[in-house]
Amino acid sequence: MKNIIFVAPPAAGKGTVSNFLTEKYGYIHISTGDLLRDARNNNDEIAKTITELMDSGKLVSDEIVLELLKRCIDNMDKSKKFILDGFPRNIAQANTLDDLFNELNITDYAVIYLDIDFDEALKRTLGRITCPNCKKGYNKYSTELKPKIDGICDNCGCSLITRSDDSEETFKIRFDNYMNETKPVLDYYKDKYKLVTISAKQDINNIYNSVEGVI
Ligand code: AMP
C-alpha cells in the first residue's frame, strides 16, 4: 500500500474517501483542516487567528499549519501508511513536504487529484454535515452519504453540525484560493510522475474503486 496525498477543491470528497480508506485498510488520516479545527478550541491568540482565517475562507499561515502537522507526524505510528488530506495547499507547502519526506525516508506515495467543477463542489458544500467528535463527514443531498438517522453520526451517535466555513459566500473564496494557490501543486506532482487524476463526479463506489486501483 502507498501513502496518499489528496489534492482537490473544497468538498470534492477528500474526507469521505479518506474515511473509507481508514476503515477498510487502516490508514492514518491526517487532515490539516481537522487539526486546525481542533486547535481553534484552545483558548489562545493562535486559536483566534485560525478561527478568523478559516471562517473567512482564507488559508491559514504555512507556519501554523506546519507546526500542527509536524506534531501530528511525530506522534503517529510510523509503521502505518497515512493519508494527507488538505496538505500541501500551495507550492511552498509542497517543497516543505519534500523535505519532510526526505527526512523520514518516504518515497512510496501517490498524489490523487479528485477532479470536480465549481457547481458540483458548491452543491456538496451546502449539503455537507460533519461529526464534531469523530470527524466523519456526511451529505444530506446524497443517498449514499446521508446519515442513517437524520442529524446523528452513524459512528458515534453525536449530533452532526454544519461547518462554519460551508456557506456559499465562504465557499467562493475557498474555491478561488484553490484555483490560485493549490491548483499549481498539481503540476508540481505531475512533473514528479506522482499525480493520478480521478473524476469526483462519479458515483461514490466508482470513486472508491478508482482509488483502490491506485493504492
Ligand atoms: P478543509 O477541512 O481541508 O476543507 O480545510 C478547511 C480550512 O482550513 C481551509 O479553508 C483553510 O482555511 C484551512 N486549511 C486546511 N489545510 C490548510 C493548509 N494546508 N494550509 C493552509 N490552510 C489550511
Side-chain angles (χ1 to χ4, degrees):
M1 264 180 356
K2 286 185 170 65
N3 295 300
I4 297 293
I5 300 172
F6 281 118
V7 179
K14 301 187 291 289
T16 305
V17 182
S18 298
N19 283 338
F20 164 76
L21 293 175
T22 304
E23 281 167 19
K24 186 160 176 185
Y25 296 100
Y27 272 94
I28 297 179
H29 178 202
I30 305 173
S31 153
T32 44
D34 284 344
L35 294 176
L36 289 162
R37 277 182 283 278
D38 285 343
R40 285 170 67 145
N41 296 328
N42 300 335
N43 201 5
D44 57 20
E45 277 307 307
I46 294 183
K48 262 196 230 160
T49 308
I50 295 173
T51 302
E52 271 169 32
L53 289 167
M54 284 178 92
D55 285 352
S56 62
K58 293 184 187 144
L59 290 183
V60 176
S61 72
D62 293 349
E63 199 192 353
I64 294 178
V65 178
L66 256 172
E67 175 66 31
L68 293 171
L69 180 66
K70 280 194 176 151
R71 215 180 295 161
C72 176
I73 289 181
D74 279 348
N75 292 327
M76 83 179 185
D77 177 351
K78 306 264 191 324
S79 66
K80 291 194 170 177
K81 297 292 176 186
F82 60 83
I83 300 164
L84 272 182
D85 159 3
F87 190 97
R89 257 184 161 93
N90 58 35
I91 294 289
Q93 292 184 4
N95 283 319
T96 312
L97 190 61
D98 277 348
D99 295 343
L100 201 65
F101 280 3
N102 282 339
E103 258 173 55
L104 299 170
N105 217 3
I106 294 169
T107 50
D108 192 20
Y109 68 94
V111 179
I112 299 181
Y113 164 44
L114 294 176
D115 183 15
I116 193 170
D117 59 48
F118 177 94
D119 289 339
E120 181 63 23
L122 173 60
K123 197 173 112 199
R124 290 188 192 178
T125 295
L126 299 180
R128 176 154 67 181
I129 35 179
T130 313
C131 177
N133 179 42
C134 73
K135 322 288 186 204
K136 190 171 162 81
Y138 300 85
N139 200 295
K140 50 191 175 197
Y141 302 139
S142 155
T143 327
E144 292 100 341
L145 298 175
K146 269 200 308 205
K148 291 193 182 89
I149 304 170
D150 261 2
I152 302 293
C153 178
D154 297 349
N155 263 357
C156 68
C158 276
S159 294
L160 300 172
I161 56 162
T162 297
R163 276 170 42 176
S164 51
D165 57 347
D166 272 347
S167 66
E168 181 162 352
E169 194 192 354
T170 311
F171 168 82
K172 286 181 181 157
I173 299 168
R174 288 161 63 207
F175 199 90
D176 272 355
N177 282 337
Y178 167 78
M179 294 302 282
N180 297 328
E181 303 261 344
T182 311
K183 210 161 175 271
V185 171
L186 297 176
D187 283 334
Y188 183 89
Y189 287 115
K190 195 169 163 198
D191 291 347
K192 287 178 180 282
Y193 303 102
K194 290 289 189 188
L195 189 74
V196 181
T197 299
I198 293 175
S199 166
K201 273 191 98 168
Q202 317 172 65
D203 169 86
I204 189 71
N205 290 308
N206 290 341
I207 300 177
Y208 292 158
N209 287 338
S210 304
V211 171
E212 283 181 306
V214 175
I215 67 165

